[in-house]
Amino acid sequence: MLLECRNLAYRYPGGPYVFRGVSLSVASGEAVGLIGPSGCGKTTLGRILAGYAAAAEGTVLLDGKPIPPKGYHPVQMVFQHPQKAVNPRWRLRRTLAESRMPEAAELRRLGIDEAWLDRWPHELSAGELQRICIARALGPRTRFLIADEMTAMLDAITQARIWHAVLAIAKERAIGMLVITHDRALAEAVCDRVVTWDRLSIG
């Protein structure tokens, strides 16, 4: 399976283009790192791929076909700040149910204590809540994962543990990953290949 975008462009209504001419592909089971300066449009690209935003130009294709606008999106995204990605009025069990609850063994691999599921988001630390967001994104119907500075707010030990688990699950399930980061060392450590934003966008 192949996720690809062709000649994507994005602009705010009535404003200039944020980027133009962006083309990129990620294959099943492949981890691709994307490095670029702040404000260049990396997160916006991820949002377009995951169906959160619409491109002004270009196409997003899954195995050569447009992704259906309805139903569970096969491309899921994990954002940098988990507190902004969950409903504060839902207990975490309901949050996970959005994508169908992952297997208990998978939750354990991600370091999730099942007791957390009956808590509210504010009762967890940032690292614990991010693990919940990752588990939700890795639902059984997910085919591609966009990791946008997914562990940037965490300490080095927690980062390493989370990446170890996520990469193992992605390889086992042939989930393709786009890893958006400022950290070249991280990208080179966890990804099969790394691309830089200046090679994607014509401005």
Side-chain angles (χ1 to χ4, degrees):
M1 187 172 287
L2 185 71
L3 173 67
E4 57 183 326
C5 60
R6 298 177 183 173
N7 297 314
L8 285 190
Y10 183 83
R11 67 189 303 179
Y12 296 110
Y17 282 95
V18 177
F19 58 79
R20 299 182 72 186
V22 168
S23 297
L24 178 72
S25 65
V26 182
S28 293
E30 179 185 33
V32 177
L34 176 58
I35 297 174
S38 296
C40 68
K42 302 185 305 299
T43 292
T44 300
L45 173 62
R47 289 174 58 84
I48 293 171
L49 293 174
Y52 289 107
E57 301 169 9
T59 55
V60 177
L61 303 171
L62 189 63
D63 273 352
K65 299 178 181 179
I67 299 173
K70 296 183 179 181
Y72 186 83
H73 203 287
V75 183
Q76 292 291 305
M77 188 166 182
V78 181
F79 297 91
Q80 179 176 356
H81 301 290
Q83 297 89 345
K84 298 179 181 180
V86 297
N87 189 328
R89 296 183 295 275
W90 287 5
R91 292 188 188 272
L92 294 168
R93 188 178 301 278
R94 183 177 178 185
T95 295
L96 283 183
E98 281 189 299
S99 62
R100 297 183 183 173
M101 184 76 73
E103 297 286 341
E106 198 161 282
L107 294 178
R108 288 194 295 271
R109 291 176 71 180
L110 289 169
I112 294 172
D113 186 329
E114 288 195 55
W116 299 352
L117 305 185
D118 294 315
R119 296 179 185 173
W120 303 99
H122 71 269
E123 295 181 298
L124 269 61
S125 69
E128 291 167 346
L129 191 56
Q130 189 68 304
R131 292 171 192 264
I132 295 288
C133 291
I134 293 168
R136 177 180 59 180
L138 287 172
R141 295 168 289 178
T142 298
R143 297 294 173 264
F144 290 89
L145 182 72
I146 312 296
D148 183 13
E149 297 287 1
M150 185 173 73
T151 59
M153 87 299 286
L154 306 177
D155 63 82
I157 293 175
T158 303
Q159 283 193 41
R161 289 172 177 169
I162 288 177
W163 277 112
H164 178 78
V166 169
L167 290 170
I169 292 168
K171 291 297 182 183
E172 289 171 12
R173 293 172 48 193
I175 294 173
M177 294 181 60
L178 179 64
V179 180
I180 298 172
T181 181
H182 292 93
D183 189 340
R184 177 175 287 275
L186 172 68
E188 291 178 347
V190 305
C191 296
D192 301 300
R193 59 187 174 95
V194 178
V195 295
T196 56
W197 184 261
D198 59 354
R199 294 195 176 189
L200 296 182
S201 177
I202 61 174

